[in-house]
Structures are given as C-alpha cells and as structure tokens.
Amino acid sequence: MTETTITPEDIAAAERLMGIAYTARERAQMTGNMAGQIDSAIARREVSLPNAAPMALRFDPRLPNFAMPAPEGVLRYSGSDPGPVPDNPEDVAFAPLTSLSAWVGSGVLSSRSLTELYLRRIEALNPKLECFATVMRKQALAEADAADALLKGGVYLGPLHGIPYALKDLFDTKGTITGWGAEPFQHRLPEADAAIVHKLRAAGAVLLGKSTVGALAYNDIWYGGRTRNPWNLNEGSSGSSAGSASATAAGLCGFSIGTETLGSITSPSQRCGTTGLRPTFGRVSRAGGMALCNSLDKVGPICRSVEDTAMVLAAINGGDIADRGSIDAPFHFDATAGIAGMKLGYLPEAFGDGATDVDRAALEAAKGLGIEVVEVSLPDLPYGALMNILYAEAAATFEELTLTDADDTLTWQDDGAWPNTFRKARFLSAVDHVQLDRLRYQVMLALDGLFAEVDALIGPFMTGPMLVASNFTGHPCLHLRAGFLDLGTRGMASLGAGKLTTGEADDAGRTFRVPQGISLWGRLYQEGPILNLGMALERALGVAGERPEFPA
C-alpha cells in the first residue's frame, strides 16, 4: 500500500502537468481515495511484460463501409529486357531490382557473384556509412550458392530469387544479434527468425546482413555510431530505417526492408533518395520484429525504383496469426496497367511557403501525365494531437527502461530523444488517451472522405497533416525521388510538440547536392494504383538513376 500522504498541494501541482484545473473542494475530495489508484498502478508495474506481449485492443483501419479489393489475377511486371550484364561492377550494383532479377533468373548473372559484389562494396563503404550493424557473410554466400543450385535444377522461386537484401535490425535472425540499435539490447541473440525472414527465404532472397536502426526505431544514432547519408557524409541518413535507406542508396544491396511508425521509411528515403513503400497497416506481418507502437508499426520495402517495391511487397504480403495486427489482404499489381482515368488530388497548402521548387515541379510533372489533378481539402482537426498516442504506446512498450534508469545508457539524450519522451509520457492522461482514440476515428473518416473523391494524393511528405494523419489511419504511402536541392548539412530530427522534424539545414556552411522526394498516398489496401502512378511520375521526372558520390 502507498505510505505517502497525498495532499491538495500535490494534486494542484499535478494539474499543471495535465493541463486541467480543479477547485480546492475537489482536491480535498480526491486526497482521501487517491492512494488506491496509485497502488493499482504500482501493482501493475510489478508484472514484467516482454516486448512481444501484444495489446488486447487492436487497431483496424477498415471502416464499416469498407470492402476489401478482390484479387485481380496474376502479378504482372514490365518484363523489359535489361540487356547484357554491364562490365562495370558499379553499374551492376546500382541496377534496379527489375534488371537484377532478369539477369539472375536467366542465369547470365549468378547469385554468388552478385552477393560477392555487394559484400565487397559493404567492406569498402560501411566504415564511412555505418549502415550495417552485422554482416552475415558466411550465411549470405551459402544462401547464394543454394539459390544458384536451385536454378540449375530448374527451380525458380520468383523475382527475388538469388537477390541479396539488407534487413533492418529490428527483425529477429536466429543466432545473429538483433540489437534494435539500442545499448541495453546490443547483445540480444534471438532463438528464431522473424516472419519476414521466412517469407524472403521462401522467395529465394539472400540475406546480406542487418542494416542499422536508430535506437528503438527513432533517428539514425545507434550503439555503433551514426548512419550517414551517401549524398553528404557529414549528416545522418535520417531514420529509423537509417541503414536500409543508406545501404540501398549506396548500392550495397539489391533492396532492403524497413519499418515505419511515423516516417521511418519515408524520412530516410527522402534524405537518401531511395524509393520507399509504406504499405497499408496490417498487410505485412510484424511477428518477430521489435514492437514500438502496436497500433502504428508497419513493414515495407526500400528500393531504387518504384517497380522494385512492388516485387518485394508481393513476396512479403500476407496475413499472419502470430501478429495481432495482421490483416489478410490480396495484393494486385500490373506494371502495364497505366494510369488513364486516374484522379489525383493535392492539398494547396502543402505546396505553399514550406514547399521547395522540386516539390512544385513534381506537382507540375503529375499534371503533365494526362490525368485529372484537382485541389482537395481535409477537415480542420488537430491532427498533430494524435502524436500523444505514439508517445504513450512507445513509453509503455519500453516502460522498463524508464523505471530502471536503463534509458540512461542510450547514447542520444537530447530533449527530442526517446528517454525524455518516455519520461514525459508518464504524465499523459489516460482519459485524454481514450479521447485521442475517438479523435483518431474522426481522422479515419476524414481520409476516407478524401479518398472517396480521388484515387491518390500527392504532396511533400512533411508538409500538411498527411504524414501524421495517414500513419494513424493506416493508408499506404509511396515516396520517390523527385529531384535535387543544394543544402547545407542537416541536423538531428526531433519528436515533440505534436510534430516530427527532420533537422534544419546549415545555411552558413558548405552546401551539398542532395535528393528531394515526393509522396503519393492511396486508398487502403490499394497500393497498385499508386505504384502505377509512381512509375509514370518516375519516368517523367527522370532523376531515379543518379548515384551518390559520397562527398565529405
């Protein structure tokens, strides 16, 4: 039982933290029965809950009027002839997955030679980029040899057969450290593989190693250092899928796997110039992956072209009883379908003062695709307030770090870092949390109304409410390179005040030519249309093939 006496003065001080005000009489009433409430909270904290323990409540992005899209036949890729394998190894390393798949599948390029090429590049460039936490050289070569043997025996497992990839170090790999980027877990050794490892192994993909993750899925600082942007080695790659985006942009893998709770696929893709696909919530199993926020975490591919992301999503899609948030949904993609008749929306304020010339040029390019492009709007709601849901879920997931002071071992301790965010979250109101969940439903209705008007939405990923809103509603987002800007070195990202920032550029120092991307959002479980639109926009913009030169 609680021995500390709760006084009216204690309650008055707490009111300031909660943003409420009671009368002296109301405070006096509470002092007599506050102890039991505190005792219940303390008793609950005595129960240790592992990271894998799910919430009883489950988020479902589907509204009552939702109808799951029906399967529409076989997946169809462009199938264009990539030509002969280039003599220059760098041309092979940076080739899109569509080309790599064609070369390996036809036998003109062995998985072994491709894997060895990427391993050599990792050895040469990882010291600069710090994008791999663990390189699984022996296992990768064994998997590559097995893939080649299957092909020689007439067995072809699909477009990812023999393709080397990087896996975000949030996903368990049996017998190989999965450290979540965080000091308290840097020696953590899983006993089984995550669901996505099984999926990609069944598809014939070759696991090169574990790409770095910002500690506990935030930013680009991890226990081994800071993952760098290949376009400017003086700045981080953003996060939290920091290593996945950096390695893919640097030509160290054929593709990579990332996760997103709020910007962790799109933000590093923006920084590093990769193409990131955040699928609809529930489409890809998270089983065997570190949980941050059960109602928000999503898994998706990071690649060098739009069609590549479709190939990867096809392999990792599918329901999984081991993930309470999993929703079984068909994935249809036809690279030849085109975009005729599509209606694309944009929020005018997203292309206002905060937008760049590249953002506006991307909108103009979309208008030149021969589709209808219209202005749309969203209801005036406090979208940023939903961030308190993220803070509460993340703080609950890693409560033990806060209560035992193990959070002090994390390298990054700034005001916007996890330790401070977790501590502050202890003062969030449970009543407000329930009300935020009700607000979340209103946001779901708002985006449902928007996508009743248009097939897709285009905009800068950080401008307007869409980064927050679409992550909380579970809508899919495709982020692709749109052009380049000359910017000074950018600082650390930050969480707080109801928003995510990605770091201000240094206006006084040297500038670097760095990528700038654009986002496309689509309807729930309808990634195919935004992928077709993304392919058309990618062709119109013509900037996807440029490679970083690793300036420092």
Side-chain angles (χ1 to χ4, degrees), residues 18 90 108 129 137 155 191 194 222 333 434 437 525:
M18 311 306 290
E90 185 173 289
V108 297
L129 297 171
R137 179 182 179 85
V155 178
E191 297 180 355
W222 60 293
F333 174 71
V434 173
D437 194 56
Y525 304 102

Side-chain angles (χ1 to χ4, degrees), residues 445-458:
L445 291 171
L447 263 64
D448 185 64
L450 185 150
F451 286 111
E453 298 177 19
V454 296
D455 300 294
L457 185 78
I458 187 170

Side-chain angles (χ1 to χ4, degrees), residues 160-429:
L160 303 188
H161 191 122
I163 306 298
Y165 76 100
L167 179 67
K168 186 174 182 177
D169 197 34
L170 293 186
F171 292 102
D172 285 352
T173 41
K174 182 178 180 179
T176 299
I177 287 175
T178 300
W180 301 348
E183 286 80 356
F185 306 102
Q186 62 182 304
H187 303 298
R188 183 178 169 277
L189 201 63
E191 297 180 355
D193 288 325
I196 197 165
V197 176
H198 290 290
K199 285 266 191 180
L200 289 170
R201 184 177 294 129
V206 172
L207 178 56
L208 290 166
K210 309 301 288 296
S211 52
T212 56
V213 52
L216 306 181
Y218 180 28
N219 225 314
D220 46 35
I221 292 179
W222 60 293
Y223 56 77
R226 187 181 187 193
T227 304
R228 303 288 169 171
N229 176 12
W231 302 87
N232 176 5
L233 295 175
N234 302 289
E235 67 183 14
S237 65
S238 187
S240 68
S241 303
S244 293
S246 179
T248 305
L252 306 189
C253 54
F255 68 93
S256 61
I257 296 297
T259 66
E260 175 154 331
T261 303
L262 185 84
S264 285
I265 288 175
T266 53
S267 185
S269 289
Q270 163 84 345
R271 180 68 61 91
C272 297
T274 49
T275 304
L277 176 60
R278 184 192 79 215
T280 305
F281 179 87
R283 181 182 278 287
V284 181
S285 174
R286 305 168 298 182
M290 185 204 88
L292 180 66
C293 300
N294 280 279
S295 78
L296 285 161
D297 299 341
K298 298 162 284 283
V299 185
I302 296 178
C303 301
R304 286 185 289 271
S305 79
V306 173
E307 189 174 0
D308 291 1
T309 66
M311 287 182 166
V312 180
L313 182 57
I316 61 178
N317 178 60
D320 184 0
I321 195 172
D323 176 2
R324 274 183 63 80
S326 177
I327 296 172
D328 196 18
F331 171 59
H332 176 71
F333 174 71
D334 181 355
T336 67
I339 57 173
M342 182 173 285
K343 189 174 183 180
L344 177 65
Y346 70 96
L347 299 168
E349 63 271 25
F351 292 91
D353 292 341
T356 68
D357 290 342
V358 172
D359 299 328
R360 298 186 184 98
L363 177 59
E364 292 305 310
K367 291 178 178 178
L369 295 176
I371 59 175
E372 185 179 2
V373 181
V374 299
E375 292 186 9
V376 293
S377 63
L378 282 169
D380 184 15
L381 294 170
Y383 298 96
L386 294 175
M387 293 284 286
N388 278 349
I389 295 176
L390 186 155
Y391 301 149
E393 286 195 32
T397 301
F398 289 102
E399 175 186 58
E400 187 174 354
L401 295 184
T402 304
L403 298 183
T404 64
D405 291 329
D407 56 353
D408 291 336
T409 67
L410 292 170
T411 298
W412 188 30
Q413 292 284 337
D414 292 350
D415 288 348
W418 272 147
N420 186 57
T421 301
F422 291 166
R423 295 172 198 134
K424 290 190 300 179
R426 306 298 306 193
F427 298 106
L428 291 171
S429 161

Side-chain angles (χ1 to χ4, degrees), residues 40-66:
S40 294
I42 292 173
R44 200 278 311 148
R45 291 174 200 156
E46 295 298 320
V47 178
S48 179
L49 298 170
N51 182 267
M55 294 166 58
L57 296 175
R58 292 183 288 181
F59 174 68
D60 190 329
R62 298 169 293 183
L63 291 167
N65 63 348
F66 177 83

